[in-house]
Structures are given as C-alpha cells and as structure tokens.
C-alpha cells in the first residue's frame, strides 16, 4: 500500500523484516510500525482540519495506522535518499485516479474506477527510462 506512517523507520529496517509475515507477527506490538506502513495515508495538501497538514496524526482507519503530513514525507525521503514515493490504497472522491502530493515527493495512484461509488477514475503509472538527450 505504501504509507510511511510516522516516517522514523529506514528502508533497511523494512528489508530486514523476515517474510512471510504472518498475522501473529504482524499483530505483535513491536511490529506496530509495519502495520503503519501498510495502512497509513498522507494528509491532503489542502486539508482544512484542526490538526493541520504537519506531523503525524491519528487515522480514521483506526488505532493501527496514522496520517502523515508533507513534512514527514520530506524528512523520510531525505533520510532514505529518495526523490519520490509511489503509493496506492486510497481512493479520492471524484479524482482522476492519481494525485501528486507533498511538494512532488509523493504520488498516489488508485487503479479501481468508481471505487465504492466515489466517482473516481482509475489510473496506472508508466515508468520508463529517460532517453539519453546528450547525443
């Protein structure tokens, strides 16, 4: 799904998770951060909420996940040497099926059209190597 939760973990932490990850290990309180990666969502850049768009906040999905602001995305990318996070798992009402968010550091792609009646389009992301422009 591609959330980053509180963003304090590193990519090497994720690489070190022994797989397969069964439900018993996933529900272990010491692995809270893994659940958070699965279920956390970015806070909309234009969110008009009491908590604002900064930091980490409780998610409406429940206690096992959070919502993260653009500042968390920016810090996470810098700490892990990333220029972009691509994630899914979140439909947006009446959207084109994708959003570019958090100062262009995060792309949300959702492929299911009209998911649960949200009126959203579906989208896919095509990634290709840039052609050499030096010739």
């Amino acid at each position: 799904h591609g959330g980053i939760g509180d963003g304090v973990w590193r990519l090497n932490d994720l690489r070190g998770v022994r797989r397969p990850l069964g439900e018993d290990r996933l529900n272990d309180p010491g692995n809270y951060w893994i659940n958070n990666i699965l279920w956390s969502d970015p806070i909309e850049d234009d969110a008009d909420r009491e908590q604002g768009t900064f930091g980490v906040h409780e998610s409406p999905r429940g206690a096992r996940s959070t919502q993260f602001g653009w500042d968390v995305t920016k810090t996470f990318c810098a700490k892990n040497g990333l220029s972009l996070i691509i994630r899914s798992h979140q439909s947006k009402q009446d959207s084109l099926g994708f959003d570019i968010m958090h100062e262009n550091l995060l792309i949300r792609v959702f492929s299911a059209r009209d998911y649960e009646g949200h009126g959203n389009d579906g989208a896919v992301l095509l990634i290709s190597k840039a052609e050499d422009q030096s010739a």
Side-chain angles (χ1 to χ4, degrees):
H1 291 191
I4 59 174
D6 59 14
V8 299
W9 56 280
R10 292 186 172 268
L11 292 177
N12 281 336
D13 297 330
L14 189 56
R15 290 182 186 110
V17 173
R18 190 171 46 94
R19 293 167 178 86
L21 185 63
E23 190 172 340
D24 57 329
R25 287 190 39 236
L26 192 57
N27 290 328
D28 181 317
N31 290 330
Y32 167 80
W33 65 278
I34 299 171
N35 267 303
N36 216 349
I37 292 169
L38 289 170
W39 298 109
S40 64
D41 296 314
I43 296 173
E44 300 290 335
D45 290 328
D46 59 353
D48 185 24
R49 302 182 181 151
E50 290 178 18
Q51 78 229 23
T53 58
F54 298 96
V56 179
H57 302 277
E58 187 176 313
S59 172
R61 293 187 190 276
R64 297 177 106 188
S65 66
T66 58
Q67 291 183 310
F68 55 95
W70 67 268
D71 56 319
V72 176
T73 301
K74 189 172 187 173
T75 301
F76 180 82
C77 286
K79 181 171 60 174
N80 286 284
L82 300 174
S83 59
L84 181 64
I85 296 170
I86 302 170
R87 70 174 306 271
S88 184
H89 178 70
Q90 187 182 22
S91 171
K92 183 176 176 184
Q93 186 78 32
D94 300 320
S95 76
L96 297 173
F98 72 96
D99 287 295
I100 301 171
M101 307 171 65
H102 293 191
E103 297 186 0
N104 299 323
L105 291 171
L106 189 144
I107 297 177
R108 173 175 52 204
V109 181
F110 198 78
S111 60
R113 184 182 167 277
D114 196 29
Y115 183 72
E116 295 182 343
H118 286 178
N120 62 288
D121 284 340
V124 296
L125 181 64
L126 176 64
I127 300 173
S128 60
K129 278 188 168 183
E131 293 184 28
D132 186 5
Q133 301 294 323
S134 62

